[in-house]
Amino acid sequence: MKKSIIALALAATTAAASIGATAHACSYSTITGNEGTVFVSRTNELPMETEENFIIVPRGYEFRDSTAQHGFVGMRHGDTEMVSSGLNEHGVSIESLGYWGAEYSEDKKAAKSTSLSIVSTLLGNAKTTEEAIEIAKNTPIVYEDMKQFEGVTVAFHYAITDGNRSVVIEHVAGEAVVYENTLGVMTNDPSYPEQEAMAKEAIAKVNGRVDNDMEVFPGFSTSSEDRFSRIAALNAAYNANTPANDARDEGLNRAFSILNNMELVSGSMYWEFISPKPQLIAYGNVVDIADKAYYFRTYDNPMINKIDLDKVDFSTVSYSETSIYGTKANFVEITAK
């Protein structure tokens, strides 16, 4: 493999700087709304655009490494095989986040997919989380460069949910290892079990608040570990306390509230080993599993876009891809009377 982001980060920072303070790019959360249904929130953070296109994929569409038996929508990066986010017509949501500890197979002859193409393989062929797990376990994958990073190695792990079961899949020694996503949270390095263990202290702290302590929520840095802990603590604190019994408990509102909390303000974080420009939330998305609705917004347009998959006939719709950037926002104007 070429030099990884971790290696480049270490070369670009002083010896005192930690990996966790440098290598982190995305955040993911699932919550259950007061309706009893599951929602996904996700941020995609980079110092630049990477040719993100919103795609609509019909049944029967042929990717390089698989044919989609089920239709889906999501984010594809240019003409690469990389689909970083998606929801299929059966309500399976998959989000791919940077994870540089991934250990893919070295056997290119036996490989059926790659670190980039596995998401489209799963979205196009799984009706449930269980089916996605089965496919992942039986699909050897090798590493593939994402050309937008110009030779810098970018590896991944994958968050999957169908509203009934949520898991994280990481590749260890070439094999797909499945972890139950009991906290409903994922960021980047270290591994999911390590982040889960570190989050326990934060969860205990917020759940131990009483009286005046309830007025203050503990602060966290923007490292992968602390962002994981913050989101896990937010979910735990909400679940441990009395609900408001109003619109703030509704799943879609909570999911967007969490999305807002996960975002980075421009100038607060840099990946100078890739670009001197500050990190940005290239796109943020929310998924309503039960209603099969996919929402997203971009760093250059605060308008929320929505597609209702129940209104798409995936047997007849044509494949399409549209850049998510450079569109003019449409706002509801209030006119004074």
Side-chain angles (χ1 to χ4, degrees):
M1 271 188 196
K2 300 178 180 67
K3 282 189 176 181
S4 69
I5 278 183
I6 292 279
L8 289 174
L10 286 172
T13 55
T14 64
S18 70
I19 291 175
T22 308
H24 47 280
C26 305
S27 297
Y28 167 93
S29 173
T30 62
I31 59 100
T32 301
N34 62 353
E35 312 91 333
T37 55
V38 172
F39 293 78
V40 170
S41 303
R42 182 260 172 85
T43 60
N44 184 55
E45 298 148 23
L46 296 164
M48 71 285 198
E49 298 176 11
T50 53
E51 301 179 79
E52 288 88 343
N53 292 306
F54 180 75
I55 59 172
I56 300 175
V57 180
R59 297 174 199 152
Y61 182 79
E62 294 184 4
F63 288 92
R64 184 193 64 199
D65 297 332
S66 65
T67 299
Q69 304 302 314
H70 315 304
F72 66 89
V73 304
M75 297 292 178
R76 187 174 186 174
H77 297 257
D79 60 356
T80 72
E81 295 301 309
M82 179 60 182
V83 175
S84 57
S85 168
L87 174 68
N88 75 16
E89 61 181 308
H90 299 287
V92 177
S93 165
I94 303 180
E95 303 289 342
S96 176
L97 279 70
Y99 171 59
W100 296 273
E103 300 173 347
Y104 301 111
S105 173
E106 299 291 337
D107 189 350
K108 294 185 178 181
K109 291 183 179 180
K112 298 179 181 178
S113 192
T114 73
S115 55
L116 303 188
S117 63
I118 186 62
V119 176
S120 59
T121 297
L122 298 177
L123 285 169
N125 293 278
K127 290 184 177 180
T128 63
T129 297
E130 281 74 16
E131 288 189 7
I133 291 170
E134 189 66 21
I135 294 169
K137 286 186 172 181
N138 289 286
T139 305
I141 71 173
V142 293
Y143 172 77
E144 180 179 5
D145 262 340
M146 187 171 168
K147 69 177 184 179
Q148 288 87 352
F149 285 92
E150 300 181 349
V152 176
T153 295
V154 181
F156 302 95
H157 52 183
Y158 312 92
I160 305 172
T161 186
D162 60 5
N164 295 310
R165 184 182 180 188
S166 297
V167 301
V168 171
I169 291 182
E170 296 178 350
H171 285 81
V172 180
E175 301 291 332
V177 177
V178 180
Y179 303 107
E180 298 299 324
N181 195 351
T182 55
L183 298 180
V185 180
M186 189 169 86
T187 55
N188 307 113
D189 291 73
S191 68
Y192 181 81
E194 290 175 278
Q195 294 200 34
E196 188 177 40
M198 286 186 288
K200 289 182 178 179
E201 182 178 349
I203 292 171
K205 184 174 182 179
V206 299
N207 283 348
R209 294 181 300 164
V210 295
D211 302 328
N212 290 340
D213 291 342
M214 295 293 288
E215 299 174 9
V216 179
F217 194 86
F220 294 86
S221 78
T222 56
S223 71
S224 295
E225 299 89 342
D226 274 3
R227 279 207 279 174
F228 185 102
S229 295
R230 180 179 76 242
I231 303 163
L234 284 168
N235 287 346
Y238 179 87
N239 293 329
N241 292 293
T242 304
N245 294 318
D246 59 23
R248 80 193 82 176
D249 294 331
E250 294 174 6
L252 189 61
N253 294 334
R254 282 186 59 210
F256 270 103
S257 180
I258 290 172
L259 180 67
N260 294 340
N261 186 270
M262 294 191 301
E263 289 190 346
L264 289 176
V265 176
S266 182
S268 64
M269 184 60 56
Y270 289 81
W271 271 7
E272 291 190 335
F273 49 94
I274 292 180
S275 170
K277 297 180 180 180
Q279 291 280 83
L280 55 85
I281 304 297
Y283 72 83
N285 65 281
V286 166
V287 175
D288 181 337
I289 299 292
D291 282 350
K292 299 186 182 70
Y294 186 99
Y295 303 82
F296 72 91
R297 66 188 183 208
T298 64
Y299 81 96
D300 66 344
N301 191 338
M303 180 179 67
I304 297 172
N305 300 274
K306 175 189 176 183
I307 183 166
D308 185 343
L309 275 68
D310 286 331
K311 295 181 179 179
V312 180
D313 187 342
F314 286 101
S315 67
T316 61
V317 72
S318 298
Y319 175 84
S320 66
E321 55 184 50
T322 306
S323 174
I324 64 175
Y325 304 120
T327 59
K328 184 178 180 180
N330 295 314
F331 300 104
V332 177
E333 293 190 13
I334 297 175
T335 304
K337 294 182 180 180

